Amino acid sequence: MEIAGFGVEEWLNVWEKKATYDIAQSTISSMTMQEILAIDGQNGQTFYDSLNQQKMNYGWIEGSPEFKQEVAKLYQNMVPDNILQTNGATGANHLALYALIEPGDHVIAEYPSYQQLYDIPKSLGAEVDYWHIHEENDWYPDIDELKKLVRPDTKMICLNNANNPTGTILDREFLQQVVDIAKQVDAYVLVDEVYLPLEHPEKFASIIDLYDKGIATNSLSKTYSVPGIRVGWTASNAEVADIFRKYRDYTMICCGVFNDMLAVYVLKNRDKVLARNRKLVLENLQILKDWVAKEPRVSVVLPEAVSTSFPKIDIPMDIEDFCIQILKEQGVLLVPGNRFDMPGHVRLGYCAPKATLVEGLKRLSTALKAFD
Ligand SMILES: Cc1ncc(COP(=O)(O)O)c(C=O)c1O
C-alpha cells in the first residue's frame, strides 16, 4: 500500500522543537495540567483522588459512558452508543476511511485540507477527485464544481469544516447544499470538525445534525487545547458505528484510563474552556489583523474565530526556504504553504500564547523587510 508523505507532519517533525516563537500550530494555546485542573476551581483535588483509585487496566474500550454522554450532548440528536472514542481525530479519520473505503470507490475531497482526507482513500485504492477551494471566493469551494464531480457511484465526500489551513467555515446553508447532492447518490459525507468556530455559532452545523449518512470526526486537540491526551471520536448513525466497531478492534483497544478521565473532565468544563479560548482567539485575531494591515507583502482571507490562518506572502523566494531561513535566523516557526500544495502562502497559527504571537510577527516583519 503506497501513501504520500504527510506534508505538514513531516515539516513539524523536523522543525517544531527548534522553534522559539512557534506560530505554526493549529491548536489554541495548549494548557498545562495545572491550568486544566484549575478550571473547576479544585486544582486537581477531586481529579487526583479519583485517579489514584483507578486501576490502570484497559478501562472502557469504546470510551467511558460519561465520555460518550458528554460527546453526544454536542449534537442535536445523538445517542451515546453511536460515539466511539479514538486516538485523536487522526484516529477517527483513519477509522472512518479504513472501514468504509474500498479499492475502486469514488471519493471527492475538499482540497487542500487535512491530508488524511484524500491520501488515505487514495492509498486504499479509491479514485479521489479534488474539490478545490478558491481564495478569491473566501476559500469556499464552488458548489457547481461539486455537481460536476459527483457520480452515481460516489461513495464519500470528505470535508474539513472549518478548514485547515484557511480557517474558513462552510456555513450551514452551504453544507446543506452538499448534503442535497450527496443524498442524490446516497454518498457518505465525512466531516472533520476539529476546528469549532468560537464566534457566530449559528453559522456552523455539524454534519451529524444535517444528514443521516453524515460522519463527524472530532477531538480535544484544537478547540479544547489538550492535544496531549490524544482523545478524539467518531459520531455517526448506528449502522455505521457498528461497521466502525469491527475495524476499530483491529487498530486500537482504548485510549487509556487516564486520558478518558481527563477528556471527561475537559468536556464537563467545556463552557469554561471555550470561554478561555474564545477570548484568546478574538484578541489574537485582532493582533493578526492589525499586523496584516501594516504589511504590504501580506494579505489574508481572515479565519472565522478558528485557530488557523493562511496568509499570502509576496516574496521573491521559495516559501519553504524562507520558512527554514526565518526559523534559523529569527527562531520563528511557520508552515510553508507548499506543504498544502499552495506555495504562495504560510500557515500561521495565531492562537499561540499572545507574547509568542506578538514577538513572532515582529520578527516575521523584520525578515520581510529584507525584500524591500
Ligand atoms: C483537520 C485536522 N484534523 C485532525 C487533526 C489531528 O487531530 P488530533 O490531534 O485530534 O489527532 C488535525 C491536526 O492538525 C487537523 O488539522
Side-chain angles (χ1 to χ4, degrees), residues 26 87-90 93 114 160 164 192 194-195 219 221-222 230:
S26 52
N87 180 236
T90 317
N93 289 333
Y114 200 54
N160 177 202
N164 175 10
D192 177 327
V194 290
Y195 300 104
S219 77
S221 295
K222 308 292 174 185
R230 308 305 306 132

Side-chain angles (χ1 to χ4, degrees), residues 194-364:
V194 290
Y195 300 104
L196 180 72
L198 293 177
E199 229 191 2
H200 304 304
E202 72 287 350
K203 267 190 166 180
F204 175 82
S206 171
I207 193 66
I208 285 300
D209 297 327
L210 296 182
Y211 185 31
D212 179 55
K213 286 190 79 171
I215 300 157
T217 54
N218 207 332
S219 77
L220 294 172
S221 295
K222 308 292 174 185
T223 311
Y224 300 93
S225 303
V226 287
I229 65 173
R230 308 305 306 132
V231 171
W233 62 87
T234 56
S236 65
N237 69 30
E239 190 188 333
V240 171
D242 276 342
I243 301 172
F244 287 173
R245 281 187 173 93
K246 197 165 76 163
Y247 287 83
R248 188 181 175 284
D249 284 340
Y250 282 93
T251 52
M252 64 177 289
I253 296 178
C254 62
C255 281
V257 173
F258 172 79
N259 300 26
D260 182 277
M261 263 187 75
L262 200 57
V264 169
Y265 171 94
V266 169
L267 287 165
K268 283 196 165 159
N269 289 286
R270 180 174 185 266
D271 289 350
K272 290 184 190 129
V273 175
L274 294 188
R276 168 210 187 253
N277 286 356
R278 188 172 297 116
K279 183 169 178 296
L280 194 149
V281 170
L282 296 180
E283 286 177 5
N284 284 15
L285 190 53
Q286 191 59 46
I287 293 171
L288 175 70
K289 214 167 154 177
D290 294 346
W291 179 80
V292 172
K294 283 189 279 175
E295 279 302 331
R297 291 188 180 274
V298 182
S299 60
V300 68
V301 176
L302 282 170
E304 296 185 69
V306 163
S307 60
T308 163
S309 71
F310 204 47
K312 190 187 230 167
I313 306 249
D314 179 17
I315 47 169
M317 183 174 179
D318 175 83
I319 199 72
E320 184 147 327
D321 290 345
F322 173 70
C323 287
I324 292 172
Q325 182 180 304
I326 190 180
L327 179 64
K328 290 187 173 161
E329 292 178 358
Q330 302 284 348
V332 175
L333 184 70
L334 297 158
V335 180
N338 57 300
R339 298 288 170 152
F340 294 94
D341 303 333
M342 291 228 164
H345 297 72
V346 292
R347 188 178 78 184
L348 198 158
Y350 68 96
C351 293
K354 198 189 280 187
T356 306
L357 176 67
V358 170
E359 187 59 27
L361 292 179
K362 202 170 123 196
R363 286 164 179 258
L364 181 50

Side-chain angles (χ1 to χ4, degrees), residues 179-206:
V179 167
D180 293 343
I181 292 169
K183 264 187 194 162
Q184 286 168 13
V185 295
D186 199 31
Y188 294 105
V189 180
L190 168 65
V191 188
D192 177 327
E193 298 177 353
V194 290
Y195 300 104
L196 180 72
L198 293 177
E199 229 191 2
H200 304 304
E202 72 287 350
K203 267 190 166 180
F204 175 82
S206 171

Side-chain angles (χ1 to χ4, degrees), residues 69-83:
Q69 269 156 21
E70 289 302 320
V71 172
K73 284 185 204 161
L74 305 177
Y75 308 99
Q76 280 165 12
N77 289 308
M78 175 54 57
V79 292
D81 201 36
N82 296 344
I83 303 294

